[in-house]
Amino acid sequence: NCSDLTDISQGDYYAYVGDGSLNCQSGNACLAFTLKYIDEADGTVKTIESRNMTDIATSGTPAITVGATGFSTVSASWTTISNATAYTLQRATDSNFTQNLVEDEITGSSTTVSGLTMNTAYYFRVRATSVGTFSNWSSTKNATTWNLAAPSLSSSSTITGITTSWSTVTHATAYTTQYSTNNSTWTTVCASTTATTCTRSSLTPGTTYYMRVRSEASGVQSSWATRTVATQPLGVPSPTRGTETTTTVAFTWSSVANATGYQYQYRVNSGAWVGPTSTTGNSATITSSNGARIDLQVRSTASSASSAWSSVSTGYLIPATPSVSYGSVTTSSITFSWGAITGASSYQYQTRSNSGSWSSASSQTGTSKAVTSSTQGTKLDIQVRSVNGSGNASAWSSVSGTTLSMDGPAWNAWGHSYSYPNIVTWVKNSGGSSLCPSGTVIYARYAGGVGAVGSYGSYSANGSSSETTHWTESVSSYDNTLYSQIQGYCRNNTSGAQSSVVTTGVNTTKVPKPSVSLSGKSYCTSPYASRPAFSIAMEFQETSYNLDANTSVVTWWAFRKAEQNGWKTYNEYQTAGSSYNVVVDGASVKSGMSASGRWRYNSSVAGQTEALYNRSGSTTANFSGSRTITHNSNGTKSINLSVSDHMVEVPFGSASCSKTYALSDLR
């Protein structure tokens, strides 16, 4: 019997047990067999194995086919092998069958593998088995389980709503949409819907939201697809201050996208906000007074939404014009002041000197200004205007101004010089500084006279920086006293301002007759050309002077002189004389012919003299004279004196001598 035999109860027969395959059971050849029978002696089953066994590998190798059938299933089928009793199916996540290997024994030729991971590639192979033998492994086939992809998102927004859209996802049967304001806490908007759009409304304008969608199918969910979307903003207006007047401030703002209207509110001098006031326009004019500060802010509106308030725009009413006056006046500055003006944040001022051009406008917050000049007596003017916080200014004030004070002449020393008989008088500052302040001119007048102060002359612009113009007065003669007095004031010729008049005290200057020493005697001598034992000589001396007349009297003596002993003339009987000439200060004072007989009769004695014209043999040198000499204007004088003699008949020949003589200095 081909049925298996396991115990005595089954009957008394021989059992032919094949290899277990259908081929074997259906009458075809088996790979091996076993004969079984009941041992009658003890009732046990006895077995006789076939002497030979054929390997299943001789029957061939299965060919496998695989394919994914779901997110976690793959179907596998293969060709059958003769005499195969079962098949071993292996699967792994790598082609070497080392990772996540699973092996199943399957009797049929196909199976569905479940419990797999979604969107994962699996590798499969199969082999036949029979009576402990195995066929070769089939070729390797792979299949990837289905994937449920996340949707691909797009979106659109309005001021208060966001619509998310996506395309259909393969294998998906539904979709769920959520939103979040912080990308952390999520709220479902559309749950498991088959639609491919979802809208979230009642959102805040200009706000960023996080939207996410996932695909769903048979309990499987994809990963979330997330998109950041912002609602369209309801822009915030930017108000700008416009025209400012003394009573109003105008504000304007540009139109804002998506806005259907606007609201504004304002406050005066940082007080409480007034408003809001709704408008469809783009401007607002606020009325107030007294230079007030006006703050305004605006927001845009649309439907039930409104934007944030804008930044504050500030305007100021134009303040009043200041009234300026001057107070303290010194030699270098004038202090101007004005009352504080309501609404003025600063003040601008302009200055000018001596009605010239106005300076550029300068700014300050104080209500007084000291205007300075380095030149005394300068006329200084100022005009002021108030300026609000926007930089808009009032009209200029009326001009206020006056001149700087002036110091009088600073003289403290008299000066005198004279070239007799004229005395030059002036006054100066003994410290060397200017008589009048820098930039001003001294005007002065003089009164003077011998013995008493005379009348003043006219004022005139006089003097250098340190002394006045010099006044000249004659004292007529020495030992007279000159009386002098000077009046003067300092004047700024540009502005015409002048100081008070300063009068000097009376100054007296006596011109004493100086002590003058007479010039001493002087001589000139020269030998006669043919008789050097004799010489011509001249003696001269200043004998008196007249200081008032600036003159001196000079006395001279001209004579012959024996230089050696024992000489006398060769021609003792000639009566012819000599020609002579005496010159004093360029003029001949004595000249003519003379005869001399002294040394015709007597031998000479060294040192003896005789007059040029002597015929009597006298030894007295009495040939003399005097002359009055006028000095130069500065009191000095040098004169030239000379004498010459020519003996005609006696062999003396000619002789002459000259001398330059400096007279006393009468200055």
Side-chain angles (χ1 to χ4, degrees):
N1 195 329
C2 288
S3 297
D4 195 5
L5 179 63
T6 59
D7 57 55
I8 193 170
S9 64
Q10 290 179 294
D12 188 10
Y13 60 89
Y14 282 97
Y16 179 89
V17 181
D19 56 19
S21 66
L22 292 177
N23 289 344
C24 177
Q25 293 175 358
S26 63
N28 294 328
C30 297
L31 299 179
F33 65 88
T34 301
L35 291 179
K36 294 183 178 183
Y37 64 93
I38 300 298
D39 189 329
E40 292 182 350
D42 56 16
T44 60
V45 177
K46 302 296 184 181
T47 62
I48 301 173
E49 300 290 342
S50 61
R51 180 177 300 172
N52 296 315
M53 182 177 67
T54 303
D55 194 328
I56 189 61
T58 63
S59 298
T61 301
I64 191 169
T65 301
V66 297
T69 58
F71 300 107
S72 60
T73 60
V74 173
S75 65
S77 62
W78 50 89
T79 58
T80 60
I81 299 299
S82 297
N83 301 112
T85 58
Y87 297 90
T88 301
L89 179 67
Q90 284 186 336
R91 73 174 185 271
T93 56
D94 70 311
S95 60
N96 293 324
F97 293 89
T98 59
Q99 298 179 11
N100 303 309
L101 178 65
V102 177
E103 190 172 87
D104 293 318
E105 292 294 325
I106 302 170
T107 58
S109 59
S110 65
T111 188
T112 296
V113 181
S114 60
L116 303 180
T117 302
M118 183 175 66
N119 194 31
T120 303
Y122 289 91
Y123 296 84
F124 294 88
R125 66 183 178 180
V126 67
R127 70 181 177 182
T129 65
S130 182
V131 291
T133 64
F134 304 96
S135 72
N136 293 327
W137 287 106
S138 67
S139 60
T140 300
K141 300 292 183 178
N142 66 77
T144 300
T145 54
W146 289 357
N147 179 41
L148 187 60
S152 178
L153 304 183
S154 61
S155 60
S156 61
S157 65
T158 63
I159 296 175
T160 57
I162 295 174
T163 297
T164 305
S165 303
W166 58 92
S167 58
T168 57
V169 175
T170 303
H171 308 305
T173 58
Y175 306 92
T176 295
T177 303
Q178 295 180 333
Y179 88 99
S180 173
T181 58
N182 57 12
N183 203 25
S184 176
T185 303
W186 296 91
T187 301
T188 299
V189 183
C190 300
S192 299
T193 178
T194 57
T196 56
T197 61
C198 182
T199 299
R200 176 70 172 94
S201 58
S202 301
L203 300 178
T204 303
T207 302
T208 298
Y209 293 90
Y210 302 90
M211 306 298 296
R212 69 181 185 179
V213 181
R214 72 182 178 189
S215 307
E216 300 174 348
S218 303
V220 178
Q221 296 88 29
S222 71
S223 60
W224 291 101
T226 303
R227 186 176 181 85
T228 302
V229 189
T231 52
Q232 294 184 20
L234 184 56
V236 179
S238 296
T240 301
R241 170 188 53 82
T243 302
E244 295 173 335
T245 71
T246 57
T247 58
T248 62
V249 179
F251 298 89
T252 60
W253 55 89
S254 300
S255 297
V256 173
N258 304 318
T260 58
Y262 305 93
Q263 291 180 333
Y264 65 85
Q265 60 183 11
Y266 71 91
R267 63 187 177 189
V268 179
N269 294 329
S270 301
W273 288 104
V274 178
T277 299
S278 298
T279 181
T280 57
N282 300 89
S283 65
T285 299
I286 310 302
T287 301
S288 189
S289 61
N290 296 326
R293 166 180 168 162
I294 307 297
D295 294 330
L296 181 135
Q297 56 184 184
V298 186
R299 65 185 178 187
S300 53
T301 59
S303 301
S304 59
S306 59
S307 71
W309 284 108
S310 69
S311 58
V312 174
S313 180
T314 300
Y316 300 84
L317 273 63
I318 296 177
T321 301
S323 178
V324 185
S325 60
Y326 62 84
S328 173
V329 179
T330 69
T331 57
S332 60
S333 68
I334 302 172
T335 300
F336 298 90
S337 61
W338 55 93
I341 302 298
T342 301
S345 61
S346 64
Y347 302 92
Q348 290 181 342
Y349 62 87
Q350 290 180 313
T351 61
R352 66 182 180 186
S353 299
N354 296 323
S355 301
S357 299
W358 288 105
S359 67
S360 299
S362 298
S363 182
Q364 66 175 45
T365 57
T367 57
S368 65
K369 176 63 182 176
V371 183
T372 63
S373 174
S374 60
T375 303
Q376 295 184 12
T378 299
K379 186 176 186 297
L380 299 177
D381 295 328
I382 193 171
Q383 60 181 8
V384 183
R385 63 185 178 185
S386 54
V387 182
N388 65 16
S390 304
N392 290 326
S394 69
W396 286 108
S397 68
S398 298
V399 175
S400 178
T402 188
T403 57
L404 294 171
S405 302
M406 292 186 65
D407 292 328
W411 48 42
N412 54 23
W414 286 84
H416 300 279
S417 66
Y418 56 86
S419 176
Y420 181 80
N422 296 322
I423 296 180
V424 179
T425 303
W426 67 93
V427 289
K428 62 181 180 179
N429 189 321
S430 61
S433 60
S434 299
L435 290 172
C436 283
S438 175
T440 65
V441 177
I442 183 170
Y443 280 72
R445 63 181 182 177
Y446 171 80
V450 176
V453 176
S455 303
Y456 280 108
S458 300
Y459 281 110
S460 60
N462 293 299
S464 63
S465 62
S466 61
E467 47 183 63
T468 63
T469 296
H470 299 39
W471 285 274
T472 301
E473 189 91 15
S474 176
V475 294
S476 302
S477 64
Y478 284 106
D479 291 329
N480 278 341
T481 299
L482 179 68
Y483 289 76
S484 301
Q485 191 170 48
I486 296 175
Q487 286 184 338
Y489 58 85
C490 298
R491 187 175 191 272
N492 185 315
N493 280 341
T494 303
S495 67
Q498 65 185 51
S499 72
S500 58
V501 174
V502 176
T503 303
T504 64
V506 176
N507 183 265
T508 58
T509 304
K510 183 176 181 179
V511 184
K513 184 174 293 186
S515 175
V516 179
S517 297
L518 294 175
S519 300
K521 286 184 179 182
S522 185
Y523 299 89
C524 74
T525 62
S526 180
Y528 282 90
S530 299
R531 286 289 185 266
F534 302 93
S535 64
I536 192 169
M538 188 174 185
E539 176 185 301
F540 41 89
Q541 181 180 14
E542 181 184 23
T543 58
S544 65
Y545 55 82
N546 186 329
L547 287 174
D548 292 335
N550 199 30
T551 60
S552 291
V553 176
V554 176
T555 300
W556 56 270
W557 299 266
F559 51 91
R560 299 185 188 95
K561 180 181 178 185
E563 301 293 339
Q564 298 177 17
N565 295 326
W567 285 85
K568 62 181 179 179
T569 63
Y570 292 117
N571 187 356
E572 297 180 351
Y573 301 102
Q574 281 192 341
T575 59
S578 63
S579 61
Y580 61 87
N581 189 30
V582 179
V583 178
V584 177
D585 197 24
S588 177
V589 295
K590 199 76 133 176
S591 62
M593 294 291 293
S594 67
S596 178
R598 169 169 161 37
W599 286 302
R600 288 184 297 174
Y601 303 106
N602 303 309
S603 295
S604 63
V605 176
Q608 288 181 328
T609 62
E610 70 173 4
L612 293 182
Y613 64 91
N614 185 18
R615 289 178 177 270
S616 63
S618 170
T619 60
T620 303
N622 58 357
F623 189 71
S624 62
S626 65
R627 179 156 179 207
T628 299
I629 304 298
T630 300
H631 286 243
N632 298 328
S633 59
N634 64 0
T636 63
K637 183 66 175 181
S638 292
I639 62 174
N640 292 317
L641 302 103
S642 65
V643 60
S644 62
D645 185 30
H646 178 67
M647 299 293 284
V648 178
E649 296 183 7
V650 295
F652 271 56
S654 297
S656 64
C657 70
S658 63
K659 184 82 172 186
T660 299
Y661 182 48
L663 298 178
S664 299
D665 185 351
L666 301 185
R667 290 175 298 174

Short mmCIF file of all heavy atoms in Angstrom, two decimals, residues 569-611:
data_model
loop_
_atom_site.label_atom_id
_atom_site.label_comp_id
_atom_site.label_asym_id
_atom_site.label_seq_id
_atom_site.Cartn_x
_atom_site.Cartn_y
_atom_site.Cartn_z
N THR A 569 119.69 185.61 5.78
CA THR A 569 119.43 185.59 4.34
C THR A 569 120.71 185.77 3.57
O THR A 569 121.71 186.29 4.06
CB THR A 569 118.44 186.71 3.96
OG1 THR A 569 119.07 187.96 4.27
CG2 THR A 569 117.16 186.57 4.70
N TYR A 570 120.61 185.41 2.32
CA TYR A 570 121.75 185.61 1.43
C TYR A 570 121.78 187.01 0.86
O TYR A 570 122.81 187.60 0.62
CB TYR A 570 121.71 184.58 0.28
CG TYR A 570 121.94 183.18 0.74
CD1 TYR A 570 120.97 182.21 0.61
CD2 TYR A 570 123.18 182.83 1.32
CE1 TYR A 570 121.19 180.92 1.02
CE2 TYR A 570 123.40 181.54 1.75
CZ TYR A 570 122.40 180.58 1.59
OH TYR A 570 122.62 179.30 1.99
N ASN A 571 120.62 187.54 0.56
CA ASN A 571 120.54 188.88 -0.05
C ASN A 571 120.13 189.86 1.04
O ASN A 571 118.94 190.02 1.30
CB ASN A 571 119.55 188.89 -1.19
CG ASN A 571 119.58 190.20 -1.95
OD1 ASN A 571 120.31 191.14 -1.57
ND2 ASN A 571 118.83 190.29 -3.02
N GLU A 572 121.13 190.49 1.65
CA GLU A 572 120.82 191.32 2.79
C GLU A 572 120.29 192.69 2.40
O GLU A 572 119.81 193.44 3.25
CB GLU A 572 122.07 191.51 3.65
CG GLU A 572 122.58 190.21 4.25
CD GLU A 572 123.82 190.44 5.09
OE1 GLU A 572 124.35 191.54 5.06
OE2 GLU A 572 124.22 189.49 5.81
N TYR A 573 120.39 193.08 1.10
CA TYR A 573 120.03 194.45 0.73
C TYR A 573 118.74 194.54 -0.07
O TYR A 573 118.29 195.62 -0.41
CB TYR A 573 121.18 195.09 -0.07
CG TYR A 573 122.47 195.10 0.73
CD1 TYR A 573 123.47 194.18 0.50
CD2 TYR A 573 122.65 196.06 1.75
CE1 TYR A 573 124.63 194.20 1.25
CE2 TYR A 573 123.82 196.07 2.49
CZ TYR A 573 124.80 195.14 2.25
OH TYR A 573 125.95 195.14 2.99
N GLN A 574 118.18 193.38 -0.44
CA GLN A 574 116.93 193.47 -1.19
C GLN A 574 115.81 193.95 -0.28
O GLN A 574 115.74 193.58 0.89
CB GLN A 574 116.55 192.08 -1.77
CG GLN A 574 117.32 191.75 -3.02
CD GLN A 574 116.72 190.53 -3.72
OE1 GLN A 574 116.01 189.78 -3.13
NE2 GLN A 574 117.03 190.43 -5.00
N THR A 575 115.01 194.74 -0.87
CA THR A 575 113.87 195.26 -0.12
C THR A 575 112.55 194.62 -0.53
O THR A 575 111.50 194.92 0.02
CB THR A 575 113.76 196.79 -0.31
OG1 THR A 575 113.59 197.07 -1.71
CG2 THR A 575 114.99 197.47 0.21
N ALA A 576 112.62 193.78 -1.56
CA ALA A 576 111.37 193.12 -1.99
C ALA A 576 110.87 192.18 -0.89
O ALA A 576 111.66 191.54 -0.21
CB ALA A 576 111.60 192.36 -3.28
N GLY A 577 109.51 192.13 -0.76
CA GLY A 577 108.94 191.30 0.32
C GLY A 577 108.40 189.96 -0.21
O GLY A 577 108.93 189.40 -1.15
N SER A 578 107.32 189.55 0.40
CA SER A 578 106.68 188.25 0.05
C SER A 578 105.19 188.46 -0.16
O SER A 578 104.61 189.40 0.37
CB SER A 578 106.91 187.22 1.16
OG SER A 578 106.29 187.67 2.35
N SER A 579 104.60 187.55 -0.89
CA SER A 579 103.13 187.55 -1.05
C SER A 579 102.55 186.51 -0.09
O SER A 579 103.04 185.39 -0.01
CB SER A 579 102.76 187.21 -2.49
OG SER A 579 103.24 185.92 -2.85
N TYR A 580 101.51 186.88 0.63
CA TYR A 580 100.94 185.96 1.63
C TYR A 580 99.42 185.95 1.49
O TYR A 580 98.82 186.85 0.91
CB TYR A 580 101.35 186.39 3.04
CG TYR A 580 100.85 187.77 3.41
CD1 TYR A 580 99.58 187.94 3.96
CD2 TYR A 580 101.66 188.90 3.18
CE1 TYR A 580 99.14 189.23 4.26
CE2 TYR A 580 101.21 190.15 3.48
CZ TYR A 580 99.93 190.32 4.03
OH TYR A 580 99.48 191.56 4.32
N ASN A 581 98.80 184.91 2.12
CA ASN A 581 97.33 184.78 2.10
C ASN A 581 96.91 183.93 3.29
O ASN A 581 97.47 182.85 3.54
CB ASN A 581 96.85 184.13 0.80
CG ASN A 581 95.33 184.18 0.67
OD1 ASN A 581 94.69 185.11 1.18
ND2 ASN A 581 94.77 183.22 -0.02
N VAL A 582 95.89 184.41 4.04
CA VAL A 582 95.33 183.66 5.18
C VAL A 582 93.86 183.38 4.86
O VAL A 582 93.11 184.32 4.57
CB VAL A 582 95.47 184.44 6.50
CG1 VAL A 582 94.87 183.64 7.64
CG2 VAL A 582 96.93 184.76 6.78
N VAL A 583 93.45 182.10 4.92
CA VAL A 583 92.07 181.69 4.60
C VAL A 583 91.46 181.03 5.83
O VAL A 583 92.06 180.11 6.42
CB VAL A 583 92.05 180.72 3.40
CG1 VAL A 583 90.61 180.27 3.11
CG2 VAL A 583 92.65 181.38 2.18
N VAL A 584 90.25 181.51 6.22
CA VAL A 584 89.51 180.92 7.34
C VAL A 584 88.13 180.52 6.85
O VAL A 584 87.37 181.36 6.35
CB VAL A 584 89.40 181.91 8.53
CG1 VAL A 584 88.56 181.30 9.64
CG2 VAL A 584 90.78 182.28 9.04
N ASP A 585 87.79 179.22 6.96
CA ASP A 585 86.48 178.67 6.58
C ASP A 585 86.12 179.04 5.15
O ASP A 585 85.02 179.49 4.85
CB ASP A 585 85.39 179.17 7.54
CG ASP A 585 84.11 178.31 7.43
OD1 ASP A 585 84.21 177.12 7.00
OD2 ASP A 585 83.03 178.80 7.75
N GLY A 586 87.15 178.92 4.24
CA GLY A 586 86.90 179.11 2.82
C GLY A 586 86.99 180.55 2.35
O GLY A 586 86.80 180.81 1.16
N ALA A 587 87.25 181.51 3.24
CA ALA A 587 87.31 182.92 2.83
C ALA A 587 88.66 183.52 3.24
O ALA A 587 89.19 183.24 4.33
CB ALA A 587 86.18 183.70 3.48
N SER A 588 89.24 184.34 2.33
CA SER A 588 90.53 185.00 2.62
C SER A 588 90.29 186.15 3.60
O SER A 588 89.48 187.04 3.35
CB SER A 588 91.16 185.53 1.33
OG SER A 588 92.36 186.21 1.62
N VAL A 589 90.99 186.07 4.74
CA VAL A 589 90.80 187.11 5.76
C VAL A 589 91.99 188.09 5.79
O VAL A 589 91.92 189.15 6.41
CB VAL A 589 90.59 186.48 7.14
CG1 VAL A 589 89.30 185.67 7.16
CG2 VAL A 589 91.78 185.59 7.53
N LYS A 590 93.09 187.73 5.15
CA LYS A 590 94.26 188.62 5.12
C LYS A 590 95.14 188.18 3.96
O LYS A 590 95.45 186.99 3.84
CB LYS A 590 95.05 188.52 6.42
CG LYS A 590 95.97 189.69 6.68
CD LYS A 590 95.15 190.87 7.13
CE LYS A 590 95.75 191.54 8.34
NZ LYS A 590 95.00 192.76 8.72
N SER A 591 95.57 189.15 3.15
CA SER A 591 96.47 188.82 2.05
C SER A 591 97.21 190.10 1.63
O SER A 591 96.80 191.21 1.97
CB SER A 591 95.68 188.23 0.87
OG SER A 591 94.75 189.17 0.36
N GLY A 592 98.33 189.97 0.91
CA GLY A 592 99.07 191.14 0.44
C GLY A 592 100.56 190.85 0.29
O GLY A 592 100.95 189.68 0.20
N MET A 593 101.36 191.95 0.29
CA MET A 593 102.81 191.83 0.15
C MET A 593 103.47 192.35 1.44
O MET A 593 103.01 193.31 2.05
CB MET A 593 103.30 192.66 -1.03
CG MET A 593 102.82 192.17 -2.38
SD MET A 593 103.55 190.59 -2.87
CE MET A 593 105.25 191.13 -3.07
N SER A 594 104.57 191.75 1.84
CA SER A 594 105.32 192.23 3.01
C SER A 594 106.81 192.06 2.75
O SER A 594 107.21 191.25 1.92
CB SER A 594 104.90 191.46 4.26
OG SER A 594 105.30 190.12 4.15
N ALA A 595 107.62 192.88 3.46
CA ALA A 595 109.07 192.73 3.34
C ALA A 595 109.63 192.37 4.70
O ALA A 595 109.16 192.87 5.72
CB ALA A 595 109.70 194.03 2.86
N SER A 596 110.54 191.50 4.69
CA SER A 596 111.11 191.06 5.96
C SER A 596 112.62 191.32 5.96
O SER A 596 113.31 191.03 4.99
CB SER A 596 110.83 189.57 6.15
OG SER A 596 111.42 189.13 7.33
N GLY A 597 113.14 191.91 7.00
CA GLY A 597 114.57 192.17 7.05
C GLY A 597 115.21 191.62 8.30
O GLY A 597 116.38 191.85 8.55
N ARG A 598 114.39 190.97 9.12
CA ARG A 598 114.94 190.58 10.41
C ARG A 598 116.17 189.71 10.26
O ARG A 598 117.21 189.98 10.86
CB ARG A 598 113.87 189.84 11.21
CG ARG A 598 114.46 189.16 12.47
CD ARG A 598 113.38 188.68 13.36
NE ARG A 598 113.67 187.69 14.33
CZ ARG A 598 114.70 187.45 15.08
NH1 ARG A 598 115.77 188.17 14.88
NH2 ARG A 598 114.75 186.52 15.98
N TRP A 599 116.03 188.67 9.50
CA TRP A 599 117.16 187.73 9.43
C TRP A 599 118.16 188.11 8.35
O TRP A 599 119.11 187.40 8.10
CB TRP A 599 116.64 186.28 9.22
CG TRP A 599 116.02 185.76 10.49
CD1 TRP A 599 116.64 185.66 11.67
CD2 TRP A 599 114.70 185.34 10.64
NE1 TRP A 599 115.79 185.16 12.61
CE2 TRP A 599 114.54 184.94 12.00
CE3 TRP A 599 113.55 185.24 9.81
CZ2 TRP A 599 113.34 184.47 12.50
CZ3 TRP A 599 112.40 184.75 10.34
CH2 TRP A 599 112.28 184.38 11.66
N ARG A 600 118.02 189.28 7.82
CA ARG A 600 119.08 189.77 6.93
C ARG A 600 120.25 190.32 7.73
O ARG A 600 121.36 190.45 7.24
CB ARG A 600 118.53 190.87 6.01
CG ARG A 600 117.60 190.31 4.94
CD ARG A 600 117.15 191.38 4.00
NE ARG A 600 116.39 192.40 4.70
CZ ARG A 600 115.97 193.52 4.14
NH1 ARG A 600 116.26 193.79 2.87
NH2 ARG A 600 115.25 194.40 4.81
N TYR A 601 119.99 190.72 8.92
CA TYR A 601 121.05 191.38 9.71
C TYR A 601 121.53 190.50 10.86
O TYR A 601 122.66 190.66 11.32
CB TYR A 601 120.54 192.71 10.30
CG TYR A 601 120.04 193.64 9.23
CD1 TYR A 601 118.70 193.87 9.05
CD2 TYR A 601 120.98 194.32 8.42
CE1 TYR A 601 118.27 194.73 8.07
CE2 TYR A 601 120.54 195.18 7.44
CZ TYR A 601 119.18 195.39 7.25
OH TYR A 601 118.73 196.25 6.30
N ASN A 602 120.65 189.64 11.33
CA ASN A 602 121.01 188.87 12.53
C ASN A 602 120.91 187.37 12.24
O ASN A 602 120.07 186.93 11.43
CB ASN A 602 120.06 189.18 13.69
CG ASN A 602 120.05 190.66 14.02
OD1 ASN A 602 121.12 191.25 14.20
ND2 ASN A 602 118.88 191.24 14.12
N SER A 603 121.71 186.67 12.92
CA SER A 603 121.60 185.20 12.81
C SER A 603 120.31 184.75 13.52
O SER A 603 119.90 185.34 14.53
CB SER A 603 122.82 184.52 13.45
OG SER A 603 123.99 184.85 12.74
N SER A 604 119.74 183.70 12.99
CA SER A 604 118.48 183.20 13.55
C SER A 604 118.72 182.48 14.87
O SER A 604 119.80 181.94 15.11
CB SER A 604 117.82 182.23 12.58
OG SER A 604 118.65 181.09 12.37
N VAL A 605 117.67 182.57 15.70
CA VAL A 605 117.65 181.80 16.95
C VAL A 605 116.41 180.90 16.89
O VAL A 605 115.30 181.38 16.63
CB VAL A 605 117.58 182.72 18.18
CG1 VAL A 605 117.47 181.89 19.46
CG2 VAL A 605 118.80 183.61 18.24
N ALA A 606 116.60 179.62 17.09
CA ALA A 606 115.48 178.67 16.99
C ALA A 606 114.34 179.13 17.89
O ALA A 606 114.55 179.45 19.07
CB ALA A 606 115.93 177.27 17.36
N GLY A 607 113.12 179.16 17.33
CA GLY A 607 111.93 179.54 18.09
C GLY A 607 111.55 180.98 17.90
O GLY A 607 110.46 181.38 18.32
N GLN A 608 112.44 181.77 17.29
CA GLN A 608 112.08 183.16 17.05
C GLN A 608 111.01 183.23 15.97
O GLN A 608 110.95 182.41 15.07
CB GLN A 608 113.31 183.95 16.63
CG GLN A 608 114.30 184.21 17.74
CD GLN A 608 115.50 185.01 17.28
OE1 GLN A 608 115.93 184.92 16.12
NE2 GLN A 608 116.06 185.82 18.18
N THR A 609 110.11 184.27 16.11
CA THR A 609 109.03 184.45 15.13
C THR A 609 109.02 185.89 14.68
O THR A 609 109.54 186.78 15.36
CB THR A 609 107.67 184.10 15.74
OG1 THR A 609 107.41 184.99 16.84
CG2 THR A 609 107.62 182.66 16.21
N GLU A 610 108.36 186.13 13.53
CA GLU A 610 108.15 187.50 13.07
C GLU A 610 106.88 187.52 12.24
O GLU A 610 106.48 186.51 11.66
CB GLU A 610 109.33 187.97 12.25
CG GLU A 610 109.45 187.31 10.90
CD GLU A 610 110.53 187.93 10.02
OE1 GLU A 610 111.23 188.82 10.50
OE2 GLU A 610 110.62 187.50 8.88
N ALA A 611 106.24 188.69 12.25
CA ALA A 611 105.02 188.85 11.48
C ALA A 611 105.35 188.78 10.00
O ALA A 611 106.43 189.16 9.56
CB ALA A 611 104.35 190.17 11.81
#
